[in-house]
Amino acid sequence: MNRLLAALAGVLATLAGVAAGHLVAALLDPATSPVLTVGSQVIDLTPTPVKEWAISQFGDRDKPILIGSVLVGVVLLSAVAGLVARRRFAYGAGVLVLLVAVPATIALTRPAADPSAVVPSLVALVVGVAALGWLVRSARPASPSSSPSSSGASAAGSGPSRRGLLVAFGVVAGAAAVLGGAGRWVASYRSRGVDVDLPAAADPLAPLPRGLEERFPGITPLQVPNDEFYRVDTRLDVPIVDHESWTLTIDGDVEREVTFTFDDLLAMDLVEKDITLTCVSNSVGGKYVGGARWLGVPLVALLDRAGVGSRADQILSTDVDGMTISTPLALATDGRDALLAVGMNGEPLPREHGFPARMVIPGLYGFISATKWVTRMTLTTYADQDAYWTERDWATDAPIKPSSRIDTPRALADLDAGENVIGGVAWAQFDGGVGRVQVRVDGGPWQDAELGADVGNDYWRQWFLRWDATPGQHRIASRVVDGDGDPQSPARANPFPSGSSGIQELLVTVS
């Protein structure tokens, strides 16, 4: 068995095992897929500056790139397993055991794990070792013929059967493709939209006004459709949560521990609120911000059922897989429209946005306010318990900073001379909301833009300015001025630890 065949045998056997494990995980819990398990651990161990760099450089592609990187590492180690098995199969199988031991250990030690979390890794190991054994046997020289019919026949019997090799390698490769494809299909099928009838709000809001996007293409829609709404979280999969068995427990420093079912929430008086969410990883001019209409139960109504004690200063919320987020209790209960949301833009929450329920608190970055797939809220103190992001030195009190974003024209765009429209969105969820949006061209004076509909201080606002563009290169900048007359800060700050700031400025060419 030559080295190339041995390495290929290791790679194909491992891919078949990984594909089988992925299929089993898709049927049980997608998060326990061996590759996704390792990828999630890499995310947890990655230093914050590296994470922020990856988000800024790769955007929505950061997770596929991470999964691809993990697979490259798996392929390289599996090739080593094949090369070792060429000399002695037991040693090659041992390399696969070590390779699978990593995701198995991670799966068992992650928060909220149970013994079933290791099943996909065990399946991957069994299938991988079995496939490697078959491929190694198929590539070994056949036993010499016992018949002394001719020297030619004896020579032919000294090497592996070409047909046997093709069959073995082809079957394993095909099995890897079929199992992997089936796993992706099952995961996609299980993460499809949910069929739940939500009751109407007790006091429904009027329909949103028409947005400027109808007049000026390029401006972000006033209400972002669910399938276009940004998603930033640490998950490499979409949790599959059964709303019929899901519960939310409120415990800790409370007068009484309470548990709500999904039906309990729907039986309460639901409210509608128009709220803009922003991710703390959003850079100046970034896309990780969006406005939506949320349907849910006021958070204070749930907390009142439990009766908050006198010691707590944070709500430590936990999702279905043990991810924790800390929210300042004072900010969640200061009169703002904090919700436990069950609906988004007239539909049940999409699975990728937290079905069956998530927290939505206006004015606070999502990493301290927007727990998705939430199952527990523990009233506690920052001194007693740290959440995922506070352990990584992110801010504990992180109000969303006022900002304006230019949607059109795009940076480095080529424009025709004459009238052009500069437009975008702006938000200022404190101090009276958006008062004005101003635009500056080539460092000149700030000019007031025209504002779109005012949906409320918790919601962003569209804006536009008609610009008579002259030939040449031009620098365009925008800023928001809040209702108290204070312009957004021009000081440049990175997202870590409490959100970015600065003025967006872009360059265009007019001809």
Side-chain angles (χ1 to χ4, degrees), residues 184-201:
R184 293 186 63 183
W185 182 85
V186 170
S188 176
Y189 179 79
R190 293 189 66 197
S191 63
R192 70 193 187 284
V194 293
D195 185 16
V196 174
D197 291 327
L198 297 179

Side-chain angles (χ1 to χ4, degrees), residues 13 31 113 132 134 138 149 167 176 193 199 204 212-213 225 242 255 262 280-281 291 305 362 366 487:
L132 181 63
W134 185 30
S138 299
S149 57
V167 169
L212 293 180
E213 71 275 9
D242 177 17
E255 296 175 4
F262 190 66
V280 72
S281 295
R305 295 280 187 99

Side-chain angles (χ1 to χ4, degrees), residues 44-105:
D44 289 350
L45 297 177
T46 300
T48 295
V50 177
K51 286 182 183 178
E52 291 304 307
W53 176 85
I55 292 175
S56 65
Q57 294 297 314
F58 305 123
D60 295 337
R61 302 187 304 276
D62 61 337
K63 292 177 181 177
I65 289 173
L66 172 60
I67 294 174
S69 300
V70 172
L71 281 173
V72 168
V74 169
V75 167
L76 293 176
L77 291 174
S78 62
V80 172
L83 292 170
V84 174
R86 174 173 174 259
R87 297 297 182 185
R88 189 164 182 177
F89 174 74
Y91 292 163
V95 173
L96 291 187
V97 170
L98 293 175
L99 189 59
V100 172
V102 174
T105 301

Side-chain angles (χ1 to χ4, degrees), residues 112 239 241-242 245-251 257-261 265 316-324 340 354-359 371-378:
V241 184
D242 177 17
S245 60
W246 172 90
T247 59
L248 170 71
T249 298
I250 301 179
D251 61 6
E257 180 177 314
V258 293
T259 298
F260 302 93
T261 66
L265 297 182
L316 185 76
S317 52
T318 306
D319 78 0
V320 292
D321 287 322
M323 170 73 179
T324 55
L340 182 72
F355 180 83
R358 67 172 294 172
M359 292 172 63
T371 311
K372 294 185 280 190
W373 316 290
V374 62
T375 61
R376 184 175 296 273
M377 296 181 188
T378 301

Side-chain angles (χ1 to χ4, degrees), residues 77 82 99 101 105 113 115 141 147 223 245 293 320 337 351 430 467 494:
L77 291 174
L99 189 59
T105 301
S147 172
Q223 183 183 72
S245 60
R293 173 163 290 183
V320 292
D337 291 323
R351 291 194 186 277
F430 291 95
W467 172 44
N494 292 323

